Amino acid sequence: MDQPLIQFIVIPLVKIVVILAVLLLIVAYLTFAERKILAYMQVRLGPNRVGPKGWLQPIADAFKLLVKEDLVPAKAEKFVFMLAPGLIIIPALLVWSVIPFAPDTTLFGLLKQPIPPYLTDINIGLLFLLGVSGVGVYGVILGGWSSNNKFSLMGGLRSAAQMVSYEVPMGFAVVSVILMAGSLSLVRIVQAQQEAHLWFFVPGILALAIYFCCGVAETNRNPFDLPEAESELVAGFHTEYSGMKFALFFLAEYANMLVIGSVVALLFFGGWLRPFPSWGWLGFLDIIPPFFWFAGKVAVVIFIYMWFRGTFPRYRFDQLMHIGWKWLLPLSLANVVIVALGVLLLKG
Amino acid sequence: MALGEFFSKLIPTDLFAGLALTGGYFFKKKETIQFPEERVEPADRFRGMFGYDVDRCIDCHLCAMACPIDIIHIRDHTEVDEDPETGKKKKRKVIDRYDVDIKRCMFCSLCEEACPTDPKSVWLTTKTFEMATYERNEALYFTKERLMSWEGVLAYPGAVPPKDGGLPEDPMARKGKGSAAEGGVA
Amino acid sequence: MTDEKKTPQPEEKPNATPAGDDRPAEAGAPAATPSAAPKATPPDEAAKAKAAAKAKEAAPPKQPWEEKPVPPVHEDAADDPDVAALREGVEGSVEGADRFAGQVTVAVPRGKIVETCRFLKEQRGFAFLVDLTAADWPEREEGRFDLYYWLHRFEDNRRLRLKAVVAEDQTIGTVSAVWKTANWMEREVYDMFGIVFEGHPNLERILTWEGFNGHPLRKDFPIEGIDTGAAIYPDVFPPGGGPETAEEEKEGA
Amino acid sequence: MAGPLEPLFDVEEMELSFGPQHPATHGVLRVQLRLDGEKIMDAKPIIGYLHRGTEKLFERESFNQCIPHTDRLDYIAAPTNNEGFVLAAEKLLGITVPPRASYIRMILAELGRISSHVLWLATHAIDLGAITPFFYTFRERERILDLFEEYCGARLTLNAMRVGGLPYDLPDGWVERCSELIDSLPKYFDEYETLLTENRIWKKRTIGIGVISAEEAIDYGLTGPPLRGSGVRWDIRKVFPYDRYDEVEFEIPIGENGDTYDRYLVRMEEMRQSVRIIRQCLDRLPDGPVMAKVPKVLRAQEGIVYASVEAPKGELGYMFVTTAKSTQPYRCHIRPPSFINLQALPAMVEGHLVADLVAVIGTLDIVLGEIDR
């Protein structure tokens, strides 16, 4: 085969398949992890019947959702109703094309030349990520609207307002990292952290807090889980969805959680870098492959997500907007100014 | 806004207290009881499925009268026995049916309280609560025969709490006593 | 939040004979001191108890719960200050006053009820309507229904019951303008008894559904209910089981 | 072109049927809402989905037969239901209850109050999005129900009292186990408070929500924690002491603003006071019979009697109308606290958001079994 075919078709296809498969498996097991973690915080055991210690539970859940009857409400807007789950799952998976989870690797010497294990590294990776993940809100709005259910509609509307208003401080929080790294490429940002001998959460602690809050709101998680607030809106925008379409909403939510976790790890905690990459005497830590450093950091972020869910009540809709516009936005703006001044003074 | 207030709003110590509590519980012992393998033994006075003993029953209908929702249906007839030696006639009541419509029962135990025999001829303290059925009407309509012979009924016949508040006497011993007296409890 | 400021604890009815003074003396078991003698022990009963307690000082006195219960008796309650005030305040409002178990019941004519309630709330401080209900006496001559209003005054924690007689074809004025709480109570009475309250803002059925046939708490409404076609799971008994039918009963007899 | 501008498109208020199948209506309550966006313009509670005609049933049961039916009113706290009924019947028949029976009744009633309040906290918190207190509170509730089961054989519908006393005495070791439990309870109450009381989200969701002033609360006939949350220090246990409540010491917590947060604090404090009452009762539990000498067949004379208890939800009263020599009440009316408290819902939620409706329904602590009877 000629080189370009392999380089541009075969390798990316293999990567896509592997990334998707692993991602979906991880997402499935995230649901299991969430149930277990919540259970353990709530003095109970959680799912432990399917398979050894319940490890096959997500498989059983997926199978159940697959074979369930796929209901479409009689008065629903059928086409949009079908479209909405696609609209939400596609961006959630698409952003994985730019997330670098490990440096270039030779796959333990299998390949002559090191290749990047992630799909691609584009120089506007961060912008692409923000833009694509913002599309997901259409799925939520359209899903809520097309169900022809008042609760779903309210869920969709809440979600629209929430996601749109939290994109803004989120963007500003990211800007401060871009200022520090001087690039929009995610790989470059990690490398900048290596060069600076400093993870960006130290200078960007405020940006981290803001980004994390916004991330929780973006993915509709407690304490900002208003669009699907079960006790108010009966699951909100996906009240009427069942079977596989419901599963897609579910997958998208968890995939988005993973995205937020990955971005936090990449932007603030040095991605795949081990702690203190410049300290030579910590070299024994290099035994752990970089991918696992990355996965561990993401896992911690996700655990905090679940911890939040197990602890906090839910904000009210107007209070959420209040926090977004009156607290997070000014804070993030101030943060940008401070970071910009710092960069200007230190780098000249 | 005072600066202190501003920072106390910014740094959510109140939220950390909650996180510490739930986080602490993550490592504590769990409360779950794994049902089919582990079971909680019902208390001695637990009111569950009916037990009934036709030999002890004196056909006084007090249980049926005490029932607030009239689910105990008793049919009887009187038989006249003639003593072959003395020729004396003796009336004897025979219970044809003793039906309990358990699907409507609210397990208030008033029938057991009303029963004048000792030990009780009808009792709910059988420690049995697993009565799920697939069918609503027939499966939960218990006749005399079914009441006396459902699985496990003899395992714990009548842990009737004595009025003085002590523990019920050993149920198995009581059963022996009853059979020794040839059903002559009344 | 919890600073203790004890509310005054008056006897349930200041007018009722105080029962606490006549407790038989009892040594050794202070916690077992009886105190819950019927609140409205009539005076002669109380005197008897006192005499008995004196006589039996040496012998262990019989506790009230070991003796036959002493049911309360009816008394005339014309001496009650609220009844007297009501008689003066609203002309012709008191048809009779009765005290039973320490609770005063004033019979009020049907037409005067709103006026009476307003007077009691505004002049006598009965700010709280505890309960409003009715009873059905289908065979009675003076009118089929009794309406009961059970009022409460916070200042000295006294309660007063008003009773009004309403015949089947009569209506009665609403007190929902006097106390907001009467709104649903009157709706319930309307639903259950069919008594119409004049001037009620939204007199509709509340516990049964719109279009329900009949008023369930009337005595002529069958206790088994009426056939609404709502029985999803009809009772099915095996042959020979179930409640005895009328024919079987006849056979048995 | 004077005059107000015509809107370019139709603006409609949305009608929303909140319930009867809704996770936050605590049963089969339906609230018909008129919404402007998410703002509630008008709320109309619709009840009766659970109407069983309990009062009608009472007219054909003898006094003791009624007691199992009372369990099913407020099925979360059955002891107070039983207690109210037997108190009314005892008042009617002139029966004096032995002190031991009175004390055991108080213990059961206060345990019932705690179990009801923890369940309220569980559902209230889960309505506001905090899922974890639900599991912690159920752990404690289970232990209380275990005590009930040991005493009378049932966990929920106790049927634990009779006219004239109690059917059973306490089993061996019950006092010790109860005492152990109530010693451990305050620690758990602290845990709930750690999760909620100072939590800024909880405060934001509850402070200033569903405010009702003291005058309005009295006008609406509110009783129990909703009335005390508005600052009225009124409790049947203090005002008309029944059983032996005049012999134990406890305080009545009250709120200041009459909002959801105050009612939350009032109930939390009430649980601690209940523990205090149980502790005193256990210490003073006298010996003696648990049943007064009552005739086998209870016959009333003509009269009207009302007796009420402070149920966890408010004043629960029973009114008997009897005829001479009757063995059953001619008419028995129940004053259900939830029914009357629910009436204030429209006034409390008007102008709030849908999310607050959930909080207000939670804070009223209604039980539909009692509302619909």
Side-chain angles (χ1 to χ4, degrees):
Chain A
M1 273 193 283
D2 51 339
Q3 197 61 25
L5 188 70
I6 294 180
Q7 199 181 345
F8 292 115
I9 306 288
V10 178
I11 291 180
L13 264 182
V14 170
K15 279 184 191 167
I16 287 171
V17 170
V18 170
I19 289 174
L20 271 187
V22 172
L23 183 67
L24 289 181
L25 200 69
I26 290 177
V27 164
Y29 273 89
L30 263 187
T31 63
F32 179 66
E34 166 146 52
R35 289 169 71 179
K36 271 284 186 192
I37 289 169
L38 280 183
Y40 269 60
M41 285 176 177
Q42 295 164 348
V43 290
R44 59 198 176 92
L45 290 173
N48 63 349
R49 290 283 148 159
V50 190
K53 299 256 175 197
W55 276 100
L56 296 181
Q57 184 73 42
I59 314 287
D61 284 345
F63 182 70
K64 182 200 76 176
L65 287 169
L66 267 176
V67 298
K68 256 192 155 178
E69 187 185 355
D70 202 9
L71 291 168
V72 179
K75 290 195 174 174
E77 193 68 43
K78 300 242 168 28
F79 176 69
V80 183
F81 191 75
M82 304 281 193
L83 184 71
L87 268 181
I88 194 165
I89 189 78
I90 289 169
L93 299 179
L94 197 59
V95 289
W96 283 93
S97 56
V98 294
I99 291 180
F101 30 78
D104 295 3
T105 174
T106 57
L107 286 179
F108 309 107
L110 273 177
L111 305 170
K112 279 182 216 123
Q113 266 190 335
I115 59 156
Y118 45 89
L119 200 56
T120 171
D121 171 33
I122 51 178
N123 57 1
I124 50 156
L126 204 48
L127 195 63
F128 177 83
L129 190 143
L130 285 178
V132 170
S133 58
V135 173
V137 70
Y138 284 105
V140 173
I141 299 171
L142 290 178
W145 171 75
S146 63
S147 306
N148 199 7
N149 177 328
K150 287 171 183 170
F151 286 111
S152 299
L153 178 65
M154 277 159 74
L157 290 176
R158 279 182 180 191
S159 179
Q162 171 178 340
M163 285 177 145
V164 167
S165 51
Y166 273 73
E167 293 265 305
V168 183
M170 191 180 207
F172 279 116
V174 169
V175 163
S176 64
V177 175
I178 297 170
L179 283 171
M180 287 187 269
S183 168
L184 280 165
S185 155
L186 286 160
V187 179
R188 180 72 204 117
I189 289 171
V190 175
Q191 283 165 356
Q193 295 183 50
Q194 195 165 17
E195 286 155 15
H197 307 301
L198 184 70
W199 289 357
F200 282 163
F201 82 89
V202 182
I205 183 81
L206 196 57
L208 170 66
I210 292 163
Y211 186 84
F212 191 81
C213 279
C214 296
V216 173
E218 277 277 301
T219 45
N220 301 333
R221 299 281 305 178
N222 193 296
F224 305 123
D225 58 341
L226 301 160
E228 42 194 292
E230 181 183 292
S231 52
E232 294 157 25
L233 295 185
V234 216
F237 58 87
H238 55 61
T239 308
E240 300 288 350
Y241 281 93
S242 61
M244 211 51 221
K245 291 210 278 283
F246 170 75
L248 289 181
F249 277 113
F250 216 64
L251 285 179
E253 181 184 329
Y254 283 83
N256 280 331
M257 271 167 71
L258 274 178
V259 171
I260 299 288
S262 308
V263 174
V264 168
L266 287 169
L267 297 192
F268 299 101
F269 292 96
W272 58 79
L273 304 176
R274 67 169 163 82
F276 309 107
S278 56
W279 296 7
W281 58 273
L282 275 171
F284 64 90
L285 286 173
D286 285 336
I287 296 169
I288 302 169
F291 174 74
F292 287 98
W293 281 116
F294 175 78
K297 288 165 189 171
V298 176
V300 169
V301 175
I302 301 242
F303 180 80
I304 293 173
Y305 263 85
M306 290 164 182
W307 198 357
F308 275 16
R309 183 165 175 210
T311 310
F312 295 140
R314 178 187 302 125
Y315 270 114
R316 209 174 57 205
F317 178 61
D318 55 330
Q319 292 163 352
L320 180 94
M321 303 303 276
H322 182 275
I323 293 169
W325 290 108
K326 295 193 183 163
W327 280 91
L328 293 183
L329 187 60
L331 274 177
S332 61
L333 279 170
N335 186 46
V336 167
V337 172
I338 294 165
V339 170
L341 278 175
V343 169
L344 194 69
L345 291 176
L346 289 177
K347 288 194 179 169
Chain B
M1 200 187 298
L3 207 64
E5 200 184 329
F6 178 79
F7 277 107
S8 76
K9 269 201 163 181
L10 210 59
I11 299 163
T13 46
D14 50 322
L15 300 184
F16 291 143
L19 284 174
L21 184 77
T22 47
Y25 265 109
F26 192 78
F27 302 104
K28 280 192 187 153
K29 205 173 156 283
K30 307 294 174 269
E31 297 274 325
T32 311
I33 293 164
Q34 296 280 303
F35 169 58
E37 293 92 31
E38 301 167 44
R39 278 157 193 269
V40 183
E41 175 80 350
D44 283 340
R45 294 174 179 183
F46 179 77
R47 307 200 293 252
M49 177 59 196
F50 279 76
Y52 175 67
D53 192 331
V54 74
D55 296 332
R56 294 206 289 256
C57 181
I58 57 168
D59 194 16
C60 63
H61 292 229
L62 280 178
C63 49
M65 272 189 265
C67 183
I69 46 178
D70 299 344
I71 58 161
I72 301 180
H73 310 301
I74 305 174
R75 310 279 168 87
D76 52 18
H77 67 273
T78 313
E79 276 184 11
V80 184
D81 283 358
E82 224 183 88
D83 197 320
E85 287 174 24
T86 57
K88 262 189 186 171
K89 282 183 183 174
K90 230 178 139 184
K91 275 188 183 174
R92 187 164 61 89
K93 276 181 165 178
V94 179
I95 299 174
D96 300 328
R97 291 190 79 110
Y98 187 94
D99 297 1
V100 183
D101 191 359
I102 288 178
K103 70 171 183 288
R104 286 176 56 210
C105 182
M106 47 188 195
F107 302 99
C108 63
S109 191
L110 285 177
C111 50
E112 179 180 324
E113 250 176 74
C115 186
T117 69
D118 184 26
K120 307 278 187 188
S121 322
V122 56
W123 65 93
L124 283 88
T125 41
T126 53
K127 295 201 171 189
T128 304
F129 52 89
E130 287 162 60
M131 293 180 286
T133 61
Y134 283 103
E135 200 272 329
R136 194 181 147 96
N137 281 316
E138 301 263 330
L140 284 176
Y141 191 91
F142 274 63
T143 58
K144 180 174 69 180
E145 290 75 23
R146 281 189 72 196
L147 276 175
M148 287 171 68
S149 64
W150 54 269
E151 201 183 335
V153 63
L154 293 177
Y156 206 85
V160 183
K163 289 279 175 192
D164 55 11
L167 283 174
E169 56 183 297
D170 181 25
M172 300 327 274
R174 178 185 290 170
K175 195 183 169 245
K177 206 169 62 189
S179 61
E182 215 61 54
V185 192
Chain C
M1 207 60 226
T2 63
D3 55 314
E4 171 71 329
K5 203 180 88 190
K6 273 195 179 176
T7 42
Q9 296 179 23
E11 272 291 331
E12 176 137 32
K13 288 285 164 279
N15 284 41
T17 315
D21 301 341
D22 305 316
R23 295 176 185 178
E26 193 186 3
T33 312
S35 74
K39 297 276 186 199
T41 323
D44 56 329
E45 284 288 339
K48 241 187 253 172
K50 206 179 248 176
K54 255 182 208 164
K56 287 184 192 169
E57 224 152 59
K62 224 177 176 189
Q63 304 289 1
W65 52 87
E66 289 165 344
E67 285 169 28
K68 262 187 83 176
V70 190
V73 292
H74 291 273
E75 285 175 71
D76 186 34
D79 55 336
D80 190 271
D82 288 316
V83 177
L86 185 59
R87 188 172 278 136
E88 277 183 22
V90 184
E91 209 173 311
S93 64
V94 180
E95 284 182 337
D98 170 60
R99 185 182 288 118
F100 180 72
Q103 299 175 351
V104 178
T105 307
V106 183
V108 177
R110 181 173 57 91
K112 294 260 179 200
I113 196 79
V114 182
E115 200 185 334
T116 308
C117 285
R118 201 173 284 282
F119 170 78
L120 284 174
K121 185 189 177 188
E122 280 159 13
Q123 308 293 320
R124 301 294 297 174
F126 284 96
F128 191 67
L129 177 67
V130 184
D131 202 1
L132 194 167
T133 187
D136 181 19
W137 310 84
E139 261 101 64
R140 211 170 50 176
E141 273 178 25
E142 63 260 38
R144 180 168 174 173
F145 301 107
D146 271 349
L147 268 175
Y148 302 107
Y149 299 74
W150 188 219
L151 320 182
H152 180 85
R153 179 164 63 205
F154 281 98
E155 284 79 48
D156 55 354
N157 291 320
R158 276 175 49 79
R159 291 190 166 184
L160 183 70
R161 183 183 291 116
L162 306 180
K163 185 176 113 176
V165 179
V166 185
E168 198 169 358
D169 48 356
Q170 285 173 335
T171 60
I172 188 163
T174 175
V175 295
S176 57
V178 187
W179 298 281
K180 279 182 190 160
T181 175
N183 189 324
W184 277 23
M185 294 173 177
E186 286 183 350
R187 276 177 71 187
E188 191 196 336
V189 169
Y190 165 72
D191 190 2
M192 292 293 143
F193 291 93
I195 301 171
V196 175
F197 293 89
E198 253 176 81
H200 191 282
N202 59 336
L203 195 66
E204 8 180 308
R205 286 182 180 272
I206 183 163
L207 289 178
T208 57
W209 59 94
E210 313 81 45
F212 182 83
N213 181 19
H215 298 283
L217 279 181
R218 287 189 176 190
K219 286 282 172 187
D220 47 14
F221 190 91
I223 198 146
E224 304 82 24
I226 49 168
D227 185 17
T228 57
I232 308 165
Y233 299 107
D235 275 333
V236 180
F237 299 105
E244 281 184 85
T245 55
E247 296 131 44
E248 278 176 324
E249 240 171 86
K250 228 177 267 170
E251 272 173 45
Chain D
M1 293 294 282
L5 284 172
E6 288 286 315
L8 290 176
F9 45 85
D10 280 350
V11 180
E12 277 179 30
E13 280 167 348
M14 182 159 74
E15 291 256 338
L16 183 67
S17 204
F18 198 84
Q21 275 85 33
H22 189 284
T25 51
H26 298 205
V28 282
L29 167 70
R30 177 173 158 218
V31 187
Q32 214 174 341
L33 298 175
R34 213 152 49 76
L35 299 176
D36 175 11
E38 281 212 28
K39 200 172 150 201
I40 296 169
M41 309 300 288
D42 187 22
K44 186 181 168 200
I46 295 170
I47 57 172
Y49 293 92
L50 216 58
H51 180 58
R52 302 166 300 231
T54 305
E55 289 175 12
K56 184 86 175 172
L57 269 178
F58 281 178
E59 292 175 9
R60 66 175 275 267
E61 310 276 39
S62 75
F63 288 103
N64 274 334
Q65 279 179 336
C66 293
I67 297 168
H69 293 303
T70 63
D71 289 334
R72 279 137 183 95
L73 294 172
D74 175 4
Y75 42 80
I76 292 165
T80 34
N81 298 345
N82 294 168
E83 197 180 20
F85 186 89
V86 295
L87 283 173
E90 279 153 11
K91 198 177 230 179
L92 179 72
L93 301 162
I95 298 169
T96 312
V97 182
R100 184 175 173 86
S102 276
Y103 272 102
I104 296 175
R105 277 182 189 179
M106 278 160 67
I107 295 170
L108 291 175
E110 295 304 320
L111 282 175
R113 188 182 318 278
I114 296 173
S115 78
S116 166
H117 278 4
V118 294
L119 189 82
W120 152 79
L121 179 66
T123 51
H124 189 34
I126 214 165
D127 285 347
L128 296 185
I131 44 178
T132 299
F134 187 84
F135 295 95
Y136 296 168
T137 53
F138 259 72
R139 175 187 53 190
E140 275 72 79
R141 186 171 149 84
E142 281 300 301
R143 295 199 179 128
I144 293 171
L145 297 189
D146 281 345
L147 282 180
F148 285 158
E149 184 187 329
E150 273 178 49
Y151 169 63
C152 65
R155 299 172 72 85
L156 210 57
T157 50
L158 302 184
N159 188 20
M161 296 173 196
R162 299 288 183 276
V163 178
L166 298 165
Y168 325 111
D169 204 339
L170 297 175
D172 283 351
W174 197 89
V175 172
E176 289 76 38
R177 283 191 289 276
C178 180
S179 150
E180 217 174 279
L181 174 76
I182 62 163
D183 283 343
S184 70
L185 281 177
K187 192 185 87 208
Y188 293 123
F189 298 158
D190 288 341
E191 286 187 355
Y192 313 151
E193 296 223 44
T194 313
L195 279 177
L196 300 176
T197 305
E198 284 303 318
N199 189 310
R200 59 181 61 194
I201 308 175
W202 182 258
K203 277 180 155 174
K204 275 218 159 183
R205 285 303 302 275
T206 51
I207 289 178
I209 304 300
V211 180
I212 193 155
S213 67
E215 292 75 40
E216 217 175 349
I218 290 168
D219 207 11
Y220 270 114
L222 298 189
T223 45
L227 180 63
R228 290 195 281 275
S230 298
V232 182
R233 201 181 290 276
W234 195 66
D235 189 315
I236 303 281
R237 291 174 294 176
K238 284 274 193 210
V239 175
F240 302 128
Y242 52 93
D243 278 342
R244 306 281 158 142
Y245 276 108
D246 46 352
E247 292 174 15
V248 291
E249 277 179 25
F250 63 101
E251 288 157 23
I252 309 171
I254 57 167
E256 284 162 17
N257 310 320
D259 59 7
T260 304
Y261 189 65
D262 276 4
R263 288 186 282 270
Y264 159 79
L265 290 178
V266 163
R267 287 200 178 94
M268 293 308 286
E269 183 58 30
E270 261 179 39
M271 289 201 271
R272 293 176 200 277
Q273 294 300 329
S274 288
V275 167
R276 199 171 146 197
I277 295 172
I278 297 170
R279 165 58 51 215
Q280 292 175 47
C281 290
L282 287 173
D283 289 346
R284 296 188 193 169
L285 193 63
D287 289 329
V290 293
M291 193 73 186
K293 198 180 155 207
V294 291
K296 272 240 151 63
V297 181
L298 301 168
R299 282 188 192 282
Q301 78 274 40
E302 193 187 341
I304 310 165
V305 154
Y306 175 94
S308 56
V309 291
E310 183 69 29
K313 273 87 187 170
E315 177 179 350
L316 173 70
Y318 290 87
M319 189 182 105
F320 288 130
V321 180
T322 46
T323 53
K325 299 237 174 228
S326 59
T327 53
Q328 61 262 86
Y330 182 81
R331 161 104 173 93
C332 174
H333 176 70
I334 306 158
R335 181 207 191 269
S338 301
F339 176 79
I340 292 159
N341 289 357
L342 180 65
Q343 200 180 167
L345 178 75
M348 284 161 91
V349 297
E350 210 185 306
H352 285 306
L353 302 181
V354 175
D356 297 326
L357 172 70
V358 169
V360 173
I361 293 177
T363 191
L364 280 174
D365 194 15
I366 50 167
V367 169
L368 269 295
E370 191 173 71
I371 291 173
D372 294 343
R373 279 159 291 150

